[in-house]
């Protein structure tokens, strides 16, 4: 993730395709960032920049490297990003859907990086990457230092054993073996104890949330009861109504503080027969008129009962979770007791080893040198661990709030995805928001970071009513893979560009789709052109000239199967209502870059030029978009 390096363009991508290595060829592009622009011209021989204009101001640099650096700083200036790497990341994984594309929705690391760029605090992006790389670096240093430290400890142990008598040697060897065993056992116990403690904390948080939820339900039930009492006993003082409502809604008696079921039952029994809860006066003895069967009163009682039932459910859940807390707490205390005992044994064994080693000869220079190096490596190890811990704490202060922001936006992204994918796939496909807890580095660590991401759930021919997680792109068909990843990218773009236009470059995937899905894919890609708040999005799509229906679909032409169905029904009105949604015929060629006309002609084009032109005309102006033609074909 944060350790990824910036991608590098292949400088000879264009020059390798022509005989003169594109000696004089250039390409100019104008990039829009909202209402600001950047224009750049590059040589196609090596992609060096020859011209650069940022926000209307031309740049004059001394060499190609200076131009490249100014281009990168200009992109960051206009985009608001802090790293050029982040710009390349969005271009590669969001805005360009090309032939060599990597599926974003199944790449957890790429997802986390893209979501970081889109939603985390913009001012923290450089700090995030520095901290990420720093943690990875210290993790590597810790593992390397620990390996060297272990080798030196083993050397010292061997040298000491050489100088010890047989009895001391055997005892030292046994103590070192015990020490290793205790370390392994302590490591297992520490992991188990940490897990139990985390479970205990999680259960306590759950109980606290349930208590808040229960109190809310009790409060709502009491409010319903108060409202009911206010309509039943309109002349009563508010304090009296509150007192009665408190008793029957489990808050208890406001006079003595008791919470007895007997008191609640007694009051409720009077209310059930419409008696006064204080003096027990019956309906015929009451001075103030009332209507026991009014809809308002019945609805209030029904609502109060619903809240009471929900409060009881919460109470039962609290009881169950409290039992789990007690069980886990007992296990935690037992595990912690064992861990404390083993730590004590570990210290005692270390002390015994020191005592034995202190009685051995001290005149060995080799041992002295090894011990000095050992102290240095231990200091380095402690330093690396401390630096890593500080970097982890700092990174968590960026990652946790960022993940919370993504979690808030997840519902909107999931809804967008559903809009795009529905109607283009026969199976039911949904996104699910996941938090992936991961450590950084390969060494042991109890610190895990909450990286945001989405996973795919999809039904199948075997399980039609139950969606299953699709953990990789290999778990879906080729057509489904194209649809799902494109819909995911479009969903992200739609959510981050709600107030201005966006652009997407798509290499249409008809080569990997069967003929039934090609028009659906074209329609789906065209959906990207939905109108934003102030303007429409821009779509650049490349496609082959073939018998598939991708080109008509991109122009919004009615699908041939749909046209045939209208013709069979002789439904000209519906046909024309649908057909009018397409791009007008006279505008279509103005929206295309026709390489048959402007590109250098190869042998195939020279030989079959008329056939190519005919196929082009059929694709851009398909016959089935004319009702009379389709009607004649079905007669």
């Amino acid at each position: 993730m944060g350790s990824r390096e910036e991608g590098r363009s292949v400088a000879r991508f264009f020059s390798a395709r022509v005989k003169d290595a594109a000696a004089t060829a250039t390409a100019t592009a104008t990039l829009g960032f909202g209402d600001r622009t950047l224009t750049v011209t590059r040589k196609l021989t090596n992609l060096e920049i020859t011209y650069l204009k940022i926000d209307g101001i031309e740049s004059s640099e001394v060499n190609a490297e200076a131009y490249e650096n100014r281009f990168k700083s200009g992109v960051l200036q206009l985009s608001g990003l802090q790293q050029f790497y982040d710009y390349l990341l969005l271009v590669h994984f969001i805005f360009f859907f090309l032939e060599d594309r990597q599926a974003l929705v199944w790449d957890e690391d790429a997802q986390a990086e893209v979501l970081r760029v889109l939603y985390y605090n913009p001012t923290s992006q450089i700090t995030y990457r520095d901290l990420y790389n720093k943690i990875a670096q210290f993790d590597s240093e810790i593992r390397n230092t620990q390996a060297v430290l272990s080798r030196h400890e083993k050397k010292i142990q061997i040298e000491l054993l050489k100088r010890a008598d047989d009895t001391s040697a055997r005892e030292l060897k046994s103590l070192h073996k015990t020490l290793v065993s205790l370390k392994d056992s302590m490591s297992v116990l520490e992991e188990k104890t940490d897990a139990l403690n985390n479970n205990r904390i999680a259960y306590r948080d759950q109980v606290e949330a349930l208590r808040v939820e229960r109190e809310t339900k009790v409060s709502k039930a009491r409010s319903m009861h108060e409202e009911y009492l206010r309509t039943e006993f309109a002349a009563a003082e508010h304090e009296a109504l509150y007192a009665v409502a408190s008793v029957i809604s489990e808050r208890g008696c406001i006079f003595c503080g008791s919470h007895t079921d007997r008191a609640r039952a007694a009051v409720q029994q009077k209310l059930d027969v419409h008696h006064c809860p204080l003096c027990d006066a019956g309906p015929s003895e009451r001075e103030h008129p009332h209507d026991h069967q009014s809809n308002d009163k019945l609805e209030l009682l029904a609502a109060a009962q619903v809240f009471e039932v929900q409060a009881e459910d919460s109470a039962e859940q609290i009881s169950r979770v409290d039992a789990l807390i007690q069980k886990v707490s007992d296990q935690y205390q037992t595990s912690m007791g064992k861990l404390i005992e083993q730590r004590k044994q570990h210290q005692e064994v270390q002390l015994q080893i020191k005592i034995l080693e202190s009685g051995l000869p001290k005149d060995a220079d080799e041992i002295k040198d090894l011990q000095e190096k050992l102290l240095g490596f231990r200091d380095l190890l402690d330093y690396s661990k401390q630096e890593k811990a500080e970097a982890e704490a700092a990174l968590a202060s960026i990652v946790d709030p960022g993940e919370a922001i993504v979690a808030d936006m997840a519902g909107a992204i999931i809804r967008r995805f559903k809009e795009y994918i529905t109607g283009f796939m026969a199976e039911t496909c949904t996104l699910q928001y996941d938090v992936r807890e991961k450590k950084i580095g390969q060494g042991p660590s109890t610190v895990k970071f909450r990286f945001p991401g989405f996973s795919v759930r999809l039904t199948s021919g075997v399980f039609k009513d139950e969606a299953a997680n699709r953990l990789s792109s290999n778990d879906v068909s080729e057509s489904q893979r194209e649809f799902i990843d494109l819909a995911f990218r479009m969903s992200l773009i739609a959510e981050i560009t709600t107030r201005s236009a966006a652009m997407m470059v798509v290499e249409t995937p008809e080569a990997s789709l069967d003929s039934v899905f090609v028009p659906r894919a074209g329609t789906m890609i065209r959906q990207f052109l939905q109108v934003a708040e102030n303007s429409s999005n821009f779509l650049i799509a490349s496609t082959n000239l073939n018998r598939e229906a991708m080109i008509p679909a991109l122009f919004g032409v009615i699908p041939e199967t749909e046209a045939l169905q209208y013709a069979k029904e002789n439904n000209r009105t519906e046909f024309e209502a649908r057909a009018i949604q397409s791009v007008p015929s006279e505008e279509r060629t103005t929206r295309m870059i026709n390489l048959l006309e402007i590109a250098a002609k190869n042998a195939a084009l020279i030989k079959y030029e008329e056939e190519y032109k005919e196929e082009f005309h059929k694709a851009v102006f398909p016959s089935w978009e004319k009702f009379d033609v389709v009607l004649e074909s079905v007669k």
Side-chain angles (χ1 to χ4, degrees), residues 215 218 222 242 245-254 257-259:
E215 181 59 34
V218 170
R222 185 171 61 253
Y242 179 78
S246 294
V247 171
I248 60 177
S249 63
E250 297 185 354
R251 190 177 183 88
C253 178
I254 66 172
S258 66
H259 291 76

Side-chain angles (χ1 to χ4, degrees), residues 55-337:
D55 256 357
I57 301 174
E58 294 184 13
S59 293
S60 179
E61 307 297 339
V62 294
N63 53 39
E65 183 180 359
Y67 264 120
E68 196 66 42
N69 291 334
R70 182 69 188 99
F71 167 75
K72 291 180 178 180
S73 64
V75 167
L76 299 183
Q77 173 189 340
L78 301 189
S79 68
L81 299 172
Q82 289 191 318
Q83 306 170 100
F84 192 70
Y85 161 79
D86 291 345
Y87 169 75
L88 294 179
L89 189 76
L90 295 183
V91 167
H92 180 73
F93 279 108
I94 298 294
F95 296 107
F96 280 71
F97 192 74
L98 304 182
E99 187 177 23
D100 61 347
R101 52 188 168 263
Q102 181 179 348
L104 174 63
V105 76
W106 283 289
D107 188 330
E108 291 185 3
D109 289 349
Q111 268 201 57
E113 286 284 78
V114 167
L115 293 171
R116 166 184 65 79
V117 176
L118 296 181
Y119 291 109
Y120 285 24
N121 185 342
T123 61
S124 69
Q125 300 289 352
I126 293 178
T127 304
Y128 170 95
R129 193 175 184 197
D130 289 344
L131 289 171
Y132 189 105
N133 293 336
K134 188 176 181 181
I135 293 169
Q137 175 189 340
F138 279 118
D139 175 80
S140 177
E141 289 181 5
I142 289 169
R143 286 184 287 110
N144 293 335
T145 305
Q146 185 64 63
V148 175
L149 188 62
S150 297
R151 287 200 298 271
H152 278 69
E153 286 177 336
K154 189 172 182 179
K155 284 182 181 179
I156 291 175
Q157 180 184 351
I158 293 171
E159 290 300 320
L160 288 173
L161 289 174
K162 286 179 182 177
R163 289 158 175 76
D165 56 40
D166 291 343
T167 302
S168 298
R170 284 194 300 272
E171 193 171 350
L172 268 175
K173 189 173 182 179
S174 176
L175 286 171
H176 277 293
K177 187 176 180 180
T178 302
L179 197 65
V180 171
S181 177
L182 283 169
K183 281 183 179 179
D184 292 341
S185 179
M186 285 165 54
S187 178
V188 173
L189 267 176
E190 284 172 351
E191 187 173 338
K192 179 182 177 181
T193 305
D194 286 343
L196 288 169
N197 190 44
N198 290 337
N199 288 343
R200 185 174 61 163
I201 292 171
Y203 284 140
R204 285 174 176 170
D205 290 343
Q206 186 178 349
V207 163
E208 185 60 32
L210 285 169
R211 286 196 174 113
V212 171
E213 181 182 335
R214 182 179 181 278
E215 181 59 34
T216 300
K217 301 302 181 186
V218 170
S219 177
K220 288 182 177 179
R222 185 171 61 253
S223 296
M224 295 296 102
H225 281 302
E226 281 187 54
E227 187 63 27
Y228 167 76
L229 292 169
R230 188 175 296 110
T231 58
E232 180 76 2
F233 304 99
E237 296 290 338
H238 173 74
E239 290 77 7
L241 297 175
Y242 179 78
V244 175
S246 294
V247 171
I248 60 177
S249 63
E250 297 185 354
R251 190 177 183 88
C253 178
I254 66 172
F255 294 102
C256 68
S258 66
H259 291 76
T260 64
D261 291 336
R262 176 174 51 81
R264 183 185 180 196
V267 173
Q268 189 64 56
Q269 186 177 10
K270 293 175 184 177
L271 292 174
D272 289 342
V273 293
H274 306 289
H275 280 220
C276 175
L278 296 182
C279 69
D280 200 24
S284 61
E285 301 171 286
R286 292 171 55 175
E287 294 183 9
H288 303 290
H290 56 282
D291 180 6
H292 306 309
Q293 301 302 319
S294 70
N295 288 333
D296 290 343
K297 288 184 181 180
L298 294 176
E299 287 175 3
L300 287 169
L301 284 176
Q305 289 172 355
V306 169
F307 288 128
E308 286 173 344
V309 170
Q310 291 175 346
E312 289 174 3
D313 290 342
S314 296
E316 291 176 2
Q317 292 181 58
I318 290 170
S319 179
R320 288 195 295 270
V321 179
D322 276 336
L324 288 174
I325 291 174
Q326 186 59 51
K327 180 180 177 180
V328 173
S329 294
D330 292 342
Q331 293 173 342
Y332 171 78
Q333 293 299 334
T334 301
S335 184
M336 179 57 77

Side-chain angles (χ1 to χ4, degrees), residues 354-624:
K354 285 183 179 180
I355 292 173
L356 271 176
E357 289 177 349
S358 65
L360 296 175
K362 298 292 191 300
D363 55 350
D365 291 337
E366 185 178 356
I367 294 178
K368 184 177 180 181
D369 182 55
L370 286 172
Q371 287 175 329
E372 288 178 354
K373 288 181 179 179
L374 199 63
L375 290 174
F377 283 122
R378 281 174 177 161
D379 288 342
L380 178 59
L381 188 63
D382 290 341
Y383 169 79
S384 297
K385 287 182 176 179
Q386 179 63 31
E387 288 292 306
K388 182 186 176 187
E390 291 177 1
E392 286 174 333
L395 185 62
S397 69
I398 296 174
V399 171
D400 290 347
E403 185 277 320
I405 294 172
V406 178
D408 287 341
M409 295 300 301
I413 294 171
I414 290 169
R415 286 191 294 274
R416 290 275 191 184
F417 179 85
K418 185 177 180 181
E419 290 174 12
Y420 287 129
I421 205 69
T422 300
F424 305 108
M425 287 181 59
E427 306 294 346
T428 300
C429 183
T430 58
L431 279 184
Q432 176 175 293
Y433 180 68
D434 297 313
V435 175
R436 288 125 181 184
E437 294 191 344
K438 292 184 178 180
K439 65 180 183 179
I440 298 175
Q442 301 175 12
S445 177
T446 58
V447 178
K448 292 185 178 181
F449 298 91
R450 294 172 59 84
F451 293 113
F454 295 86
S455 60
V456 176
R457 292 180 61 81
L458 183 67
T459 58
S460 67
V462 178
F463 300 101
K464 295 181 174 61
D465 299 321
E466 183 177 351
N469 284 326
R470 304 306 173 99
L471 302 179
S472 79
S473 58
N474 295 325
D475 295 339
V476 298
S477 71
E478 207 168 2
S479 297
Q480 289 170 339
R481 179 167 63 245
E482 299 289 351
F483 283 144
I484 292 169
D485 195 51
L486 182 56
F488 181 57
R489 295 181 187 218
M490 290 167 63
S491 302
L492 290 176
I493 294 175
E495 278 308 308
I496 62 176
T497 58
T498 55
R499 292 183 178 85
S500 61
M503 180 196 74
M504 192 172 189
V505 180
V506 178
E507 192 160 0
T508 58
E510 68 268 26
S512 60
L513 304 176
D514 58 52
S515 58
V516 173
F517 281 97
V518 169
R520 293 172 179 266
T523 305
M524 179 180 179
I525 294 169
R526 182 175 167 76
Q527 269 197 272
F528 177 76
L529 295 173
Q530 61 185 313
V531 178
E533 189 172 294
N534 298 318
S535 59
S536 298
N537 288 333
F538 295 90
L539 174 69
I540 300 175
S542 69
T543 182
N544 294 319
L545 183 61
N546 51 37
R547 294 294 178 91
E548 302 293 355
M550 181 62 73
I551 293 176
L554 290 173
F555 281 125
V557 173
I558 182 172
E560 185 174 11
T561 54
E562 191 177 338
L564 288 170
Q565 185 60 40
Y566 284 131
K568 289 176 183 178
E569 298 170 357
N570 199 16
N571 191 342
R572 182 184 293 271
T573 302
E574 290 295 329
F575 178 96
E576 292 180 348
R578 173 64 182 82
I580 201 173
Q581 299 174 26
S582 65
V583 174
S585 299
E586 63 272 15
E587 293 183 20
R588 291 179 192 173
T589 55
T590 65
R591 300 195 185 191
M592 301 180 69
I593 299 174
N594 185 359
L595 295 181
L596 294 175
E597 294 180 351
I598 65 175
K601 294 178 179 169
N602 58 19
L605 182 56
I606 293 173
K607 186 174 182 180
Y608 304 109
E609 184 171 5
E610 291 306 315
E611 293 179 46
Y612 276 114
K613 287 182 177 179
E614 183 179 350
E615 291 298 325
F616 174 81
H617 188 272
K618 289 178 181 178
V620 179
F621 309 103
S623 60
W624 68 78

